[in-house]
Amino acid sequence: MQELKRTNSSNMDFQFLVNFLDQDLKIKDGDDHAFYAQYNKSDNIQHVIIYYSDNRPIGCGAIKPYETNIAEIKRMFVMPASRGQGVALKILYALEAWAKELNFQECILETGKKQIEALKLYPKAGYTIIPNYGQYQNMENSVCMKKTLP
């Protein structure tokens, strides 16, 4: 049985998944990890989605307000053994639906050039590359994307 659950960052299953995400990012980010880590704090996030398969948490994602009409996709992760099964896309679409319910008109995100799975996922979901925004403007390993919500 698969289930998408709305929650917040105090959820223990979210914290469990984010621990794996942070370990993965530490390897992929290399020398830039400390810079990125400061912007990837997982406390006090009010809109979190957890994907469960047979009552086990296997994926997550979150949205945070960025500007009045723009939500930022954060903390997307799927356990390695569950990748390639459409889990991330389901989480992403659920986050977009929630953002729309909250009256956001666009979603933006940042991912890294070494995050190959993410670079395939987001364009598949309709995201297009934009100039790096905010704190990522001068980071050559960052790739920023945007999608207007239907």
Side-chain angles (χ1 to χ4, degrees):
M1 180 178 90
Q2 285 79 31
E3 175 190 13
L4 288 165
K5 178 181 177 182
R6 290 182 177 187
T7 186
N8 60 44
S9 59
S10 67
N11 182 289
M12 295 304 289
D13 290 334
F14 177 68
Q15 293 174 22
F16 168 79
L17 291 164
V18 165
N19 183 51
F20 282 99
L21 168 62
D22 288 339
Q23 291 174 29
D24 186 53
L25 290 175
K26 188 172 186 178
I27 295 165
K28 289 180 179 173
D29 292 342
D31 293 339
D32 292 333
H33 183 68
F35 170 81
Y36 290 113
Q38 69 182 321
Y39 298 109
N40 287 323
K41 303 284 187 233
S42 294
D43 55 336
N44 204 25
I45 299 176
Q46 298 305 309
H47 304 97
V48 170
I49 298 275
I50 301 173
Y51 186 96
Y52 292 88
S53 179
D54 297 324
N55 295 316
R56 291 178 304 118
I58 62 167
C60 64
I63 52 173
K64 291 176 76 172
Y66 184 77
E67 290 180 0
T68 303
N69 296 319
I70 302 173
E72 186 176 24
I73 304 287
K74 303 293 285 181
R75 314 276 53 204
M76 286 287 295
F77 180 74
V78 175
M79 295 293 275
S82 298
R83 292 180 184 163
Q85 301 171 25
V87 173
L89 204 53
K90 289 176 185 173
I91 294 168
L92 184 58
Y93 288 155
L95 289 169
E96 291 173 359
W98 201 357
K100 192 167 181 177
E101 287 175 31
L102 295 168
N103 295 316
F104 290 107
Q105 296 172 356
E106 295 178 339
C107 286
I108 60 171
L109 60 90
E110 182 276 339
T111 191
K113 289 182 178 177
K114 295 178 183 174
Q115 296 171 350
I116 305 303
E117 298 93 347
L119 292 173
K120 292 178 183 177
L121 169 71
Y122 296 122
K124 184 177 182 178
Y127 285 77
T128 56
I129 294 175
I130 59 172
N132 289 359
Y133 61 85
Q135 63 270 21
Y136 307 113
Q137 286 180 351
N138 297 312
M139 297 302 295
E140 69 177 60
N141 288 321
S142 287
V143 177
C144 293
M145 298 185 190
K146 173 178 92 167
K147 179 178 179 178
T148 301
L149 298 174

